[in-house]
Amino acid sequence: MSTYYEKIEIVGISDKSYEDAIQNAVNEAKNRFSELRWFEVVEFRGGINDNGSVQYQVVLKIAAKKEG
Amino acid sequence: MSTYYEKIEIVGISDKSYEDAIQNAVNEAKNRFSELRWFEVVEFRGGINDNGSVQYQVVLKIAAKKEG
Amino acid sequence: MSTYYEKIEIVGISDKSYEDAIQNAVNEAKNRFSELRWFEVVEFRGGINDNGSVQYQVVLKIAAKKEG
Amino acid sequence: MSTYYEKIEIVGISDKSYEDAIQNAVNEAKNRFSELRWFEVVEFRGGINDNGSVQYQVVLKIAAKKEG
Amino acid sequence: MSTYYEKIEIVGISDKSYEDAIQNAVNEAKNRFSELRWFEVVEFRGGINDNGSVQYQVVLKIAAKKEG
Amino acid sequence: MSTYYEKIEIVGISDKSYEDAIQNAVNEAKNRFSELRWFEVVEFRGGINDNGSVQYQVVLKIAAKKEG
Amino acid sequence: MSTYYEKIEIVGISDKSYEDAIQNAVNEAKNRFSELRWFEVVEFRGGINDNGSVQYQVVLKIAAKKEG
Amino acid sequence: MSTYYEKIEIVGISDKSYEDAIQNAVNEAKNRFSELRWFEVVEFRGGINDNGSVQYQVVLKIAAKKEG
Amino acid sequence: MSTYYEKIEIVGISDKSYEDAIQNAVNEAKNRFSELRWFEVVEFRGGINDNGSVQYQVVLKIAAKKEG
Amino acid sequence: MSTYYEKIEIVGISDKSYEDAIQNAVNEAKNRFSELRWFEVVEFRGGINDNGSVQYQVVLKIAAKKEG
Amino acid sequence: MSTYYEKIEIVGISDKSYEDAIQNAVNEAKNRFSELRWFEVVEFRGGINDNGSVQYQVVLKIAAKKEG
Amino acid sequence: MSTYYEKIEIVGISDKSYEDAIQNAVNEAKNRFSELRWFEVVEFRGGINDNGSVQYQVVLKIAAKKEG
């Protein structure tokens, strides 16, 4: 039995900041996968509303530990 | 509750064209994941048959919307 | 006076194929810039409709010749 | 007549945060281009003042919709 | 019905070698996914223990065949 | 005696489509190298004629099996 | 005698934000290297605590001016 | 009002050297854009004449300062 | 007369290790090209047999010295 | 006082394997830097001797913990 | 019969400049391949002699036209 | 005792050419590190003066041999 992780690629969104978008994505992922350990940010993007305000979008790879 | 997507990486194949390989992959993914929204092509490859005809292979990342 | 090009990054869209999306983008760019010479495809993406049909999206860099 | 976007590469700057640098860049771009729709962050950089405080610099590609 | 693959990104670990880390990861993945066909190594990393010995860590993308 | 492949980088051209450019390149390569097995697309480019029509250009790496 | 810079790659950490992680890294680097001038962010990562809170980790290249 | 730059991608050409191709491109860009500040070289290419002499081609991103 | 190298891209395969796959590829290349000097590993991949055992596949660029 | 790491880029060499080249590099680095924690492999290369035997060369980034 | 190119990867060397290294490489390639048309620079490197003088090394991909 | 190199990332500057910027950087590095052996160019950039003249800036990784 060996240590083993799977990585899931997810997208988080926030009107406030990239940190908030990351925390939102981690919160949602926590409901669906257990034992999340670390993440890497793959992409920073965003939407622009008609009034010029910005929606922050972040693509993460999250590593989840699995029982061997 | 926030908007949240997961990305799945898949491979589609066709003897006709890359567009057909993409549509095949999307069709298969639709049977397994719901609420597919967009995709990015990660890689274009192919096999070559003995008579020189080509099999088109395409690697996609597909984003599926998840209920928060 | 020397030969000199500018590159413009554009996005073309089609329901039929990437080639059609490229031709659409080149046609629109032709109305806005003169003396287009070559292009490189930077990204292949797409949207997925509710019925599973695909919208092809392509990002191009187009080089336009400028008078020195 | 088809949907068509142009991408503009710009640099935004702020003493507060990357989100503020992005919003500054979008605000300036809004004065110069119309119908901004989305952006991708290409590069995160910064300057360091003599007292060690940081100036946040961000390079964006912004997509603007054009009439066909 | 067409041929179709999904790719899963996983992390394998070994104190002996990268080949052992890959085999460990494939063994674990085999318990969770069926019909594994090929893999690509995405990243070679490692941990360093206090005595200077090395733990080999490898990130793989594994392709699994799915029934259409 | 072990299995061994060489990869050749080639450019194919077509006025019709990228698939046609790939098939053209494979046909030419078949006259010059034997036992072609698979290819990867390295680059999608194109030329633009004065009337706005497009010439599709594709750069491939083709793998050919060699006798050990 | 000419202007000359060395670049140092460092990792900064914060429980608050990436901007705070950058400022922490710059503060530590200032104690060890003189005349820091600019930085580039090489990687955005993070750790995930058992309760789902996030630790922000950032990898920077910092340029320091050296006397020729 | 904040500091703001736009980046323009251009191609310069010279029969002498890459430095000459860069200077040619900057000179042409200066006639078309004001307040050029810095550039990054994106690509070094070249053409080969029938007698084997080389034409140097360079792709630059030039940053121009804009009034906020 | 100047020093000059050509680079050949090849694929080596082994059931034992990547080092063995590299040595196999170099041995085969030695029969076909003379004066091999150095190599870079471009890609680490592998096949997975039905019983879960792994076939190691490695893509190399090998530099061969040529008489000027 | 915050946690802080510096990354050092080094090259290790071995006639036996990449794992041996990594362990050699870590051993040498341990004599020069304290508190090494993890590494990433940046590049796998090698030399080829006249008899076709291979020298394995590996480029690592090693992270060392520093007192804040 | 269609237009078709092969790309050859080569290394050129000079004690004077990168342009001289490129011209050297093109001259040698001209003796071995016919109808060279264009090149891309893949890598700029160099050796450092004991007295600190530099040897310029450049890796090129050269495209040669082939009869269909 | 094994052969071992460290790589240092530095920036060189010149008003004349990239080759001169490289030689300047190597000369400065020679005063600070011993046994420099080879370098790779990581980035070509430049500044633009008000009169349009160019300052060449080059980022190098230099490898220095260390006693084991």
Side-chain angles (χ1 to χ4, degrees), chain J residues 8-13 24-25 28-29 31-33 43 59 61, chain L residues 1-9 38 40 61 63 66-68:
Chain J
I8 306 110
E9 191 162 336
I10 63 178
V11 184
I13 296 177
N24 284 343
E28 298 291 346
N31 294 334
R32 300 173 52 85
F33 305 95
E43 200 177 357
V59 185
K61 280 194 189 171
Chain L
M1 207 181 83
S2 59
T3 316
Y4 166 83
Y5 300 88
E6 285 178 29
K7 289 191 176 182
I8 306 109
E9 190 162 336
W38 80 87
E40 303 140 45
K61 279 195 190 170
K66 300 291 176 183
E67 298 301 319

PDB file of all heavy atoms in Angstrom, chain J residues 8-13 24-25 28-29 31-33 43 59 61, chain L residues 1-9 38 40 61 63 66-68:
ATOM      1  N   ILE J   8      17.781  26.800  -5.574  1.00  0.00           N
ATOM      2  CA  ILE J   8      19.092  26.811  -6.225  1.00  0.00           C
ATOM      3  C   ILE J   8      19.014  25.847  -7.406  1.00  0.00           C
ATOM      4  O   ILE J   8      18.485  24.747  -7.281  1.00  0.00           O
ATOM      5  CB  ILE J   8      20.184  26.327  -5.246  1.00  0.00           C
ATOM      6  CG1 ILE J   8      20.122  27.147  -3.962  1.00  0.00           C
ATOM      7  CG2 ILE J   8      21.561  26.386  -5.891  1.00  0.00           C
ATOM      8  CD1 ILE J   8      19.634  26.375  -2.775  1.00  0.00           C
ATOM      9  N   GLU J   9      19.535  26.288  -8.562  1.00  0.00           N
ATOM     10  CA  GLU J   9      19.514  25.411  -9.733  1.00  0.00           C
ATOM     11  C   GLU J   9      20.871  24.731  -9.876  1.00  0.00           C
ATOM     12  O   GLU J   9      21.904  25.405  -9.944  1.00  0.00           O
ATOM     13  CB  GLU J   9      19.148  26.212 -10.987  1.00  0.00           C
ATOM     14  CG  GLU J   9      18.860  25.304 -12.160  1.00  0.00           C
ATOM     15  CD  GLU J   9      18.085  26.005 -13.273  1.00  0.00           C
ATOM     16  OE1 GLU J   9      17.390  27.004 -12.990  1.00  0.00           O
ATOM     17  OE2 GLU J   9      18.189  25.563 -14.422  1.00  0.00           O
ATOM     18  N   ILE J  10      20.888  23.407  -9.924  1.00  0.00           N
ATOM     19  CA  ILE J  10      22.143  22.668  -9.975  1.00  0.00           C
ATOM     20  C   ILE J  10      22.081  21.549 -11.019  1.00  0.00           C
ATOM     21  O   ILE J  10      21.003  21.154 -11.466  1.00  0.00           O
ATOM     22  CB  ILE J  10      22.496  22.057  -8.603  1.00  0.00           C
ATOM     23  CG1 ILE J  10      21.448  21.034  -8.179  1.00  0.00           C
ATOM     24  CG2 ILE J  10      22.625  23.146  -7.556  1.00  0.00           C
ATOM     25  CD1 ILE J  10      21.757  20.373  -6.859  1.00  0.00           C
ATOM     26  N   VAL J  11      23.262  21.042 -11.376  1.00  0.00           N
ATOM     27  CA  VAL J  11      23.373  19.962 -12.353  1.00  0.00           C
ATOM     28  C   VAL J  11      24.071  18.778 -11.700  1.00  0.00           C
ATOM     29  O   VAL J  11      25.153  18.942 -11.121  1.00  0.00           O
ATOM     30  CB  VAL J  11      24.194  20.411 -13.588  1.00  0.00           C
ATOM     31  CG1 VAL J  11      24.229  19.309 -14.640  1.00  0.00           C
ATOM     32  CG2 VAL J  11      23.625  21.695 -14.172  1.00  0.00           C
ATOM     33  N   GLY J  12      23.462  17.596 -11.760  1.00  0.00           N
ATOM     34  CA  GLY J  12      24.087  16.382 -11.247  1.00  0.00           C
ATOM     35  C   GLY J  12      24.373  15.410 -12.379  1.00  0.00           C
ATOM     36  O   GLY J  12      23.682  15.422 -13.397  1.00  0.00           O
ATOM     37  N   ILE J  13      25.390  14.573 -12.184  1.00  0.00           N
ATOM     38  CA  ILE J  13      25.878  13.696 -13.256  1.00  0.00           C
ATOM     39  C   ILE J  13      26.145  12.302 -12.695  1.00  0.00           C
ATOM     40  O   ILE J  13      26.590  12.161 -11.557  1.00  0.00           O
ATOM     41  CB  ILE J  13      27.167  14.298 -13.867  1.00  0.00           C
ATOM     42  CG1 ILE J  13      26.841  15.636 -14.530  1.00  0.00           C
ATOM     43  CG2 ILE J  13      27.809  13.346 -14.854  1.00  0.00           C
ATOM     44  CD1 ILE J  13      28.039  16.355 -15.091  1.00  0.00           C
ATOM     45  N   ASN J  24      23.550  12.305  -6.291  1.00  0.00           N
ATOM     46  CA  ASN J  24      24.853  12.993  -6.295  1.00  0.00           C
ATOM     47  C   ASN J  24      24.683  14.498  -6.136  1.00  0.00           C
ATOM     48  O   ASN J  24      25.401  15.135  -5.366  1.00  0.00           O
ATOM     49  CB  ASN J  24      25.588  12.713  -7.622  1.00  0.00           C
ATOM     50  CG  ASN J  24      26.182  11.332  -7.672  1.00  0.00           C
ATOM     51  OD1 ASN J  24      26.337  10.663  -6.644  1.00  0.00           O
ATOM     52  ND2 ASN J  24      26.524  10.870  -8.875  1.00  0.00           N
ATOM     53  N   ALA J  25      23.760  15.059  -6.881  1.00  0.00           N
ATOM     54  CA  ALA J  25      23.557  16.511  -6.825  1.00  0.00           C
ATOM     55  C   ALA J  25      23.074  16.932  -5.436  1.00  0.00           C
ATOM     56  O   ALA J  25      23.531  17.938  -4.883  1.00  0.00           O
ATOM     57  CB  ALA J  25      22.546  16.942  -7.891  1.00  0.00           C
ATOM     58  N   GLU J  28      26.032  16.852  -2.936  1.00  0.00           N
ATOM     59  CA  GLU J  28      26.916  18.013  -3.079  1.00  0.00           C
ATOM     60  C   GLU J  28      26.240  19.271  -2.538  1.00  0.00           C
ATOM     61  O   GLU J  28      26.854  20.071  -1.840  1.00  0.00           O
ATOM     62  CB  GLU J  28      27.292  18.220  -4.554  1.00  0.00           C
ATOM     63  CG  GLU J  28      28.051  17.075  -5.198  1.00  0.00           C
ATOM     64  CD  GLU J  28      29.462  16.912  -4.644  1.00  0.00           C
ATOM     65  OE1 GLU J  28      29.950  17.827  -3.952  1.00  0.00           O
ATOM     66  OE2 GLU J  28      30.066  15.857  -4.898  1.00  0.00           O
ATOM     67  N   ALA J  29      24.973  19.445  -2.867  1.00  0.00           N
ATOM     68  CA  ALA J  29      24.256  20.642  -2.410  1.00  0.00           C
ATOM     69  C   ALA J  29      24.175  20.668  -0.884  1.00  0.00           C
ATOM     70  O   ALA J  29      24.241  21.732  -0.257  1.00  0.00           O
ATOM     71  CB  ALA J  29      22.859  20.692  -3.023  1.00  0.00           C
ATOM     72  N   ASN J  31      26.369  19.806   1.188  1.00  0.00           N
ATOM     73  CA  ASN J  31      27.617  20.347   1.733  1.00  0.00           C
ATOM     74  C   ASN J  31      27.664  21.868   1.656  1.00  0.00           C
ATOM     75  O   ASN J  31      28.492  22.493   2.308  1.00  0.00           O
ATOM     76  CB  ASN J  31      28.814  19.780   0.958  1.00  0.00           C
ATOM     77  CG  ASN J  31      28.957  18.292   1.165  1.00  0.00           C
ATOM     78  OD1 ASN J  31      28.519  17.771   2.197  1.00  0.00           O
ATOM     79  ND2 ASN J  31      29.540  17.607   0.191  1.00  0.00           N
ATOM     80  N   ARG J  32      26.832  22.440   0.831  1.00  0.00           N
ATOM     81  CA  ARG J  32      26.932  23.880   0.582  1.00  0.00           C
ATOM     82  C   ARG J  32      25.730  24.657   1.108  1.00  0.00           C
ATOM     83  O   ARG J  32      25.848  25.838   1.413  1.00  0.00           O
ATOM     84  CB  ARG J  32      27.073  24.128  -0.926  1.00  0.00           C
ATOM     85  CG  ARG J  32      28.333  23.456  -1.502  1.00  0.00           C
ATOM     86  CD  ARG J  32      28.390  23.557  -3.014  1.00  0.00           C
ATOM     87  NE  ARG J  32      28.210  24.901  -3.483  1.00  0.00           N
ATOM     88  CZ  ARG J  32      29.171  25.797  -3.593  1.00  0.00           C
ATOM     89  NH1 ARG J  32      30.398  25.500  -3.267  1.00  0.00           N
ATOM     90  NH2 ARG J  32      28.903  27.003  -4.036  1.00  0.00           N
ATOM     91  N   PHE J  33      24.587  24.030   1.190  1.00  0.00           N
ATOM     92  CA  PHE J  33      23.375  24.703   1.661  1.00  0.00           C
ATOM     93  C   PHE J  33      22.748  23.834   2.739  1.00  0.00           C
ATOM     94  O   PHE J  33      22.816  22.609   2.657  1.00  0.00           O
ATOM     95  CB  PHE J  33      22.370  24.885   0.523  1.00  0.00           C
ATOM     96  CG  PHE J  33      22.924  25.594  -0.662  1.00  0.00           C
ATOM     97  CD1 PHE J  33      23.442  24.885  -1.742  1.00  0.00           C
ATOM     98  CD2 PHE J  33      22.967  26.980  -0.704  1.00  0.00           C
ATOM     99  CE1 PHE J  33      23.980  25.534  -2.836  1.00  0.00           C
ATOM    100  CE2 PHE J  33      23.496  27.639  -1.810  1.00  0.00           C
ATOM    101  CZ  PHE J  33      24.007  26.911  -2.872  1.00  0.00           C
ATOM    102  N   GLU J  43      15.323  19.393 -16.281  1.00  0.00           N
ATOM    103  CA  GLU J  43      15.804  18.934 -17.586  1.00  0.00           C
ATOM    104  C   GLU J  43      16.535  17.600 -17.430  1.00  0.00           C
ATOM    105  O   GLU J  43      17.302  17.413 -16.491  1.00  0.00           O
ATOM    106  CB  GLU J  43      16.773  20.000 -18.140  1.00  0.00           C
ATOM    107  CG  GLU J  43      17.003  19.952 -19.621  1.00  0.00           C
ATOM    108  CD  GLU J  43      17.924  21.083 -20.073  1.00  0.00           C
ATOM    109  OE1 GLU J  43      18.324  21.923 -19.245  1.00  0.00           O
ATOM    110  OE2 GLU J  43      18.259  21.110 -21.262  1.00  0.00           O
ATOM    111  N   VAL J  59      19.197  18.391 -14.458  1.00  0.00           N
ATOM    112  CA  VAL J  59      19.170  19.747 -13.916  1.00  0.00           C
ATOM    113  C   VAL J  59      18.035  19.819 -12.903  1.00  0.00           C
ATOM    114  O   VAL J  59      16.888  19.500 -13.220  1.00  0.00           O
ATOM    115  CB  VAL J  59      18.964  20.794 -15.031  1.00  0.00           C
ATOM    116  CG1 VAL J  59      19.060  22.197 -14.455  1.00  0.00           C
ATOM    117  CG2 VAL J  59      19.971  20.598 -16.148  1.00  0.00           C
ATOM    118  N   LYS J  61      16.048  22.028  -9.594  1.00  0.00           N
ATOM    119  CA  LYS J  61      15.870  23.170  -8.699  1.00  0.00           C
ATOM    120  C   LYS J  61      15.629  22.614  -7.298  1.00  0.00           C
ATOM    121  O   LYS J  61      14.651  21.875  -7.084  1.00  0.00           O
ATOM    122  CB  LYS J  61      14.676  24.022  -9.120  1.00  0.00           C
ATOM    123  CG  LYS J  61      15.001  24.945 -10.255  1.00  0.00           C
ATOM    124  CD  LYS J  61      13.911  26.001 -10.393  1.00  0.00           C
ATOM    125  CE  LYS J  61      14.131  26.780 -11.678  1.00  0.00           C
ATOM    126  NZ  LYS J  61      12.981  27.655 -11.955  1.00  0.00           N
TER     127      LYS J  61
ATOM    128  N   MET L   1      33.296  11.768  -4.652  1.00  0.00           N
ATOM    129  CA  MET L   1      33.337  13.141  -5.187  1.00  0.00           C
ATOM    130  C   MET L   1      32.905  13.138  -6.649  1.00  0.00           C
ATOM    131  O   MET L   1      33.471  12.446  -7.475  1.00  0.00           O
ATOM    132  CB  MET L   1      34.756  13.712  -5.073  1.00  0.00           C
ATOM    133  CG  MET L   1      34.761  15.225  -4.969  1.00  0.00           C
ATOM    134  SD  MET L   1      36.445  15.871  -4.860  1.00  0.00           S
ATOM    135  CE  MET L   1      36.892  15.914  -6.595  1.00  0.00           C
ATOM    136  N   SER L   2      31.874  13.923  -6.969  1.00  0.00           N
ATOM    137  CA  SER L   2      31.332  13.896  -8.327  1.00  0.00           C
ATOM    138  C   SER L   2      31.336  15.291  -8.938  1.00  0.00           C
ATOM    139  O   SER L   2      31.428  16.289  -8.230  1.00  0.00           O
ATOM    140  CB  SER L   2      29.902  13.348  -8.298  1.00  0.00           C
ATOM    141  OG  SER L   2      29.110  14.158  -7.469  1.00  0.00           O
ATOM    142  N   THR L   3      31.252  15.357 -10.253  1.00  0.00           N
ATOM    143  CA  THR L   3      31.162  16.638 -10.952  1.00  0.00           C
ATOM    144  C   THR L   3      29.807  17.280 -10.641  1.00  0.00           C
ATOM    145  O   THR L   3      28.795  16.594 -10.602  1.00  0.00           O
ATOM    146  CB  THR L   3      31.285  16.427 -12.473  1.00  0.00           C
ATOM    147  OG1 THR L   3      32.340  15.511 -12.706  1.00  0.00           O
ATOM    148  CG2 THR L   3      31.545  17.722 -13.172  1.00  0.00           C
ATOM    149  N   TYR L   4      29.812  18.598 -10.462  1.00  0.00           N
ATOM    150  CA  TYR L   4      28.626  19.275  -9.969  1.00  0.00           C
ATOM    151  C   TYR L   4      28.675  20.734 -10.425  1.00  0.00           C
ATOM    152  O   TYR L   4      29.723  21.377 -10.332  1.00  0.00           O
ATOM    153  CB  TYR L   4      28.623  19.145  -8.437  1.00  0.00           C
ATOM    154  CG  TYR L   4      27.679  20.027  -7.685  1.00  0.00           C
ATOM    155  CD1 TYR L   4      26.352  19.669  -7.522  1.00  0.00           C
ATOM    156  CD2 TYR L   4      28.122  21.215  -7.112  1.00  0.00           C
ATOM    157  CE1 TYR L   4      25.486  20.480  -6.794  1.00  0.00           C
ATOM    158  CE2 TYR L   4      27.257  22.027  -6.401  1.00  0.00           C
ATOM    159  CZ  TYR L   4      25.950  21.660  -6.250  1.00  0.00           C
ATOM    160  OH  TYR L   4      25.095  22.458  -5.544  1.00  0.00           O
ATOM    161  N   TYR L   5      27.563  21.252 -10.938  1.00  0.00           N
ATOM    162  CA  TYR L   5      27.486  22.631 -11.401  1.00  0.00           C
ATOM    163  C   TYR L   5      26.345  23.366 -10.711  1.00  0.00           C
ATOM    164  O   TYR L   5      25.310  22.761 -10.415  1.00  0.00           O
ATOM    165  CB  TYR L   5      27.214  22.684 -12.913  1.00  0.00           C
ATOM    166  CG  TYR L   5      28.267  22.026 -13.741  1.00  0.00           C
ATOM    167  CD1 TYR L   5      28.187  20.668 -14.021  1.00  0.00           C
ATOM    168  CD2 TYR L   5      29.339  22.745 -14.237  1.00  0.00           C
ATOM    169  CE1 TYR L   5      29.170  20.048 -14.781  1.00  0.00           C
ATOM    170  CE2 TYR L   5      30.325  22.126 -14.999  1.00  0.00           C
ATOM    171  CZ  TYR L   5      30.233  20.782 -15.260  1.00  0.00           C
ATOM    172  OH  TYR L   5      31.205  20.173 -16.002  1.00  0.00           O
ATOM    173  N   GLU L   6      26.529  24.657 -10.493  1.00  0.00           N
ATOM    174  CA  GLU L   6      25.411  25.504 -10.102  1.00  0.00           C
ATOM    175  C   GLU L   6      25.108  26.482 -11.236  1.00  0.00           C
ATOM    176  O   GLU L   6      26.015  26.930 -11.937  1.00  0.00           O
ATOM    177  CB  GLU L   6      25.740  26.287  -8.816  1.00  0.00           C
ATOM    178  CG  GLU L   6      25.697  25.424  -7.584  1.00  0.00           C
ATOM    179  CD  GLU L   6      26.060  26.174  -6.326  1.00  0.00           C
ATOM    180  OE1 GLU L   6      25.817  27.392  -6.271  1.00  0.00           O
ATOM    181  OE2 GLU L   6      26.616  25.541  -5.412  1.00  0.00           O
ATOM    182  N   LYS L   7      23.816  26.813 -11.391  1.00  0.00           N
ATOM    183  CA  LYS L   7      23.431  27.774 -12.433  1.00  0.00           C
ATOM    184  C   LYS L   7      22.984  29.071 -11.766  1.00  0.00           C
ATOM    185  O   LYS L   7      22.196  29.045 -10.808  1.00  0.00           O
ATOM    186  CB  LYS L   7      22.282  27.214 -13.265  1.00  0.00           C
ATOM    187  CG  LYS L   7      22.693  26.071 -14.180  1.00  0.00           C
ATOM    188  CD  LYS L   7      21.561  25.768 -15.161  1.00  0.00           C
ATOM    189  CE  LYS L   7      21.969  24.705 -16.148  1.00  0.00           C
ATOM    190  NZ  LYS L   7      20.881  24.466 -17.126  1.00  0.00           N
ATOM    191  N   ILE L   8      23.502  30.182 -12.279  1.00  0.00           N
ATOM    192  CA  ILE L   8      23.151  31.499 -11.745  1.00  0.00           C
ATOM    193  C   ILE L   8      22.439  32.264 -12.853  1.00  0.00           C
ATOM    194  O   ILE L   8      22.877  32.247 -14.007  1.00  0.00           O
ATOM    195  CB  ILE L   8      24.429  32.274 -11.331  1.00  0.00           C
ATOM    196  CG1 ILE L   8      25.250  31.419 -10.370  1.00  0.00           C
ATOM    197  CG2 ILE L   8      24.072  33.617 -10.703  1.00  0.00           C
ATOM    198  CD1 ILE L   8      26.518  30.878 -10.964  1.00  0.00           C
ATOM    199  N   GLU L   9      21.331  32.924 -12.507  1.00  0.00           N
ATOM    200  CA  GLU L   9      20.600  33.690 -13.527  1.00  0.00           C
ATOM    201  C   GLU L   9      20.976  35.161 -13.412  1.00  0.00           C
ATOM    202  O   GLU L   9      20.872  35.758 -12.338  1.00  0.00           O
ATOM    203  CB  GLU L   9      19.090  33.487 -13.339  1.00  0.00           C
ATOM    204  CG  GLU L   9      18.296  34.047 -14.513  1.00  0.00           C
ATOM    205  CD  GLU L   9      16.891  33.494 -14.589  1.00  0.00           C
ATOM    206  OE1 GLU L   9      16.636  32.398 -14.074  1.00  0.00           O
ATOM    207  OE2 GLU L   9      16.025  34.182 -15.156  1.00  0.00           O
ATOM    208  N   TRP L  38      29.326  27.295 -19.236  1.00  0.00           N
ATOM    209  CA  TRP L  38      28.449  27.513 -20.389  1.00  0.00           C
ATOM    210  C   TRP L  38      27.262  28.358 -19.946  1.00  0.00           C
ATOM    211  O   TRP L  38      27.064  28.582 -18.751  1.00  0.00           O
ATOM    212  CB  TRP L  38      27.979  26.190 -20.996  1.00  0.00           C
ATOM    213  CG  TRP L  38      26.857  25.501 -20.300  1.00  0.00           C
ATOM    214  CD1 TRP L  38      25.525  25.707 -20.492  1.00  0.00           C
ATOM    215  CD2 TRP L  38      26.962  24.500 -19.284  1.00  0.00           C
ATOM    216  NE1 TRP L  38      24.798  24.890 -19.675  1.00  0.00           N
ATOM    217  CE2 TRP L  38      25.646  24.133 -18.925  1.00  0.00           C
ATOM    218  CE3 TRP L  38      28.024  23.873 -18.636  1.00  0.00           C
ATOM    219  CZ2 TRP L  38      25.380  23.181 -17.939  1.00  0.00           C
ATOM    220  CZ3 TRP L  38      27.762  22.931 -17.664  1.00  0.00           C
ATOM    221  CH2 TRP L  38      26.448  22.594 -17.333  1.00  0.00           C
ATOM    222  N   GLU L  40      22.956  29.632 -21.141  1.00  0.00           N
ATOM    223  CA  GLU L  40      21.783  29.587 -22.015  1.00  0.00           C
ATOM    224  C   GLU L  40      21.107  30.959 -21.944  1.00  0.00           C
ATOM    225  O   GLU L  40      20.998  31.524 -20.858  1.00  0.00           O
ATOM    226  CB  GLU L  40      20.780  28.538 -21.515  1.00  0.00           C
ATOM    227  CG  GLU L  40      21.368  27.151 -21.400  1.00  0.00           C
ATOM    228  CD  GLU L  40      20.879  26.435 -20.158  1.00  0.00           C
ATOM    229  OE1 GLU L  40      19.663  26.470 -19.872  1.00  0.00           O
ATOM    230  OE2 GLU L  40      21.725  25.849 -19.456  1.00  0.00           O
ATOM    231  N   LYS L  61      21.314  32.173 -18.056  1.00  0.00           N
ATOM    232  CA  LYS L  61      21.670  31.225 -17.000  1.00  0.00           C
ATOM    233  C   LYS L  61      23.098  30.773 -17.260  1.00  0.00           C
ATOM    234  O   LYS L  61      23.387  30.210 -18.317  1.00  0.00           O
ATOM    235  CB  LYS L  61      20.739  30.018 -17.014  1.00  0.00           C
ATOM    236  CG  LYS L  61      19.428  30.273 -16.326  1.00  0.00           C
ATOM    237  CD  LYS L  61      18.714  28.976 -16.056  1.00  0.00           C
ATOM    238  CE  LYS L  61      17.301  29.261 -15.584  1.00  0.00           C
ATOM    239  NZ  LYS L  61      16.507  28.039 -15.531  1.00  0.00           N
ATOM    240  N   ALA L  63      26.351  28.440 -16.006  1.00  0.00           N
ATOM    241  CA  ALA L  63      26.711  27.281 -15.187  1.00  0.00           C
ATOM    242  C   ALA L  63      28.155  27.407 -14.716  1.00  0.00           C
ATOM    243  O   ALA L  63      29.056  27.614 -15.523  1.00  0.00           O
ATOM    244  CB  ALA L  63      26.541  25.997 -15.986  1.00  0.00           C
ATOM    245  N   LYS L  66      31.657  23.542  -9.519  1.00  0.00           N
ATOM    246  CA  LYS L  66      31.990  23.622  -8.095  1.00  0.00           C
ATOM    247  C   LYS L  66      32.824  22.404  -7.726  1.00  0.00           C
ATOM    248  O   LYS L  66      32.567  21.300  -8.227  1.00  0.00           O
ATOM    249  CB  LYS L  66      30.716  23.623  -7.249  1.00  0.00           C
ATOM    250  CG  LYS L  66      29.779  24.778  -7.531  1.00  0.00           C
ATOM    251  CD  LYS L  66      30.362  26.085  -7.070  1.00  0.00           C
ATOM    252  CE  LYS L  66      29.443  27.240  -7.452  1.00  0.00           C
ATOM    253  NZ  LYS L  66      30.009  28.532  -7.081  1.00  0.00           N
ATOM    254  N   GLU L  67      33.764  22.592  -6.790  1.00  0.00           N
ATOM    255  CA  GLU L  67      34.506  21.440  -6.269  1.00  0.00           C
ATOM    256  C   GLU L  67      33.573  20.576  -5.438  1.00  0.00           C
ATOM    257  O   GLU L  67      32.852  21.076  -4.588  1.00  0.00           O
ATOM    258  CB  GLU L  67      35.669  21.922  -5.386  1.00  0.00           C
ATOM    259  CG  GLU L  67      36.678  22.752  -6.129  1.00  0.00           C
ATOM    260  CD  GLU L  67      37.293  21.994  -7.289  1.00  0.00           C
ATOM    261  OE1 GLU L  67      37.574  20.795  -7.098  1.00  0.00           O
ATOM    262  OE2 GLU L  67      37.455  22.577  -8.378  1.00  0.00           O
ATOM    263  N   GLY L  68      33.567  19.282  -5.695  1.00  0.00           N
ATOM    264  CA  GLY L  68      32.663  18.366  -4.987  1.00  0.00           C
ATOM    265  C   GLY L  68      33.023  18.208  -3.520  1.00  0.00           C
ATOM    266  O   GLY L  68      34.153  18.447  -3.120  1.00  0.00           O
TER     267      GLY L  68
END
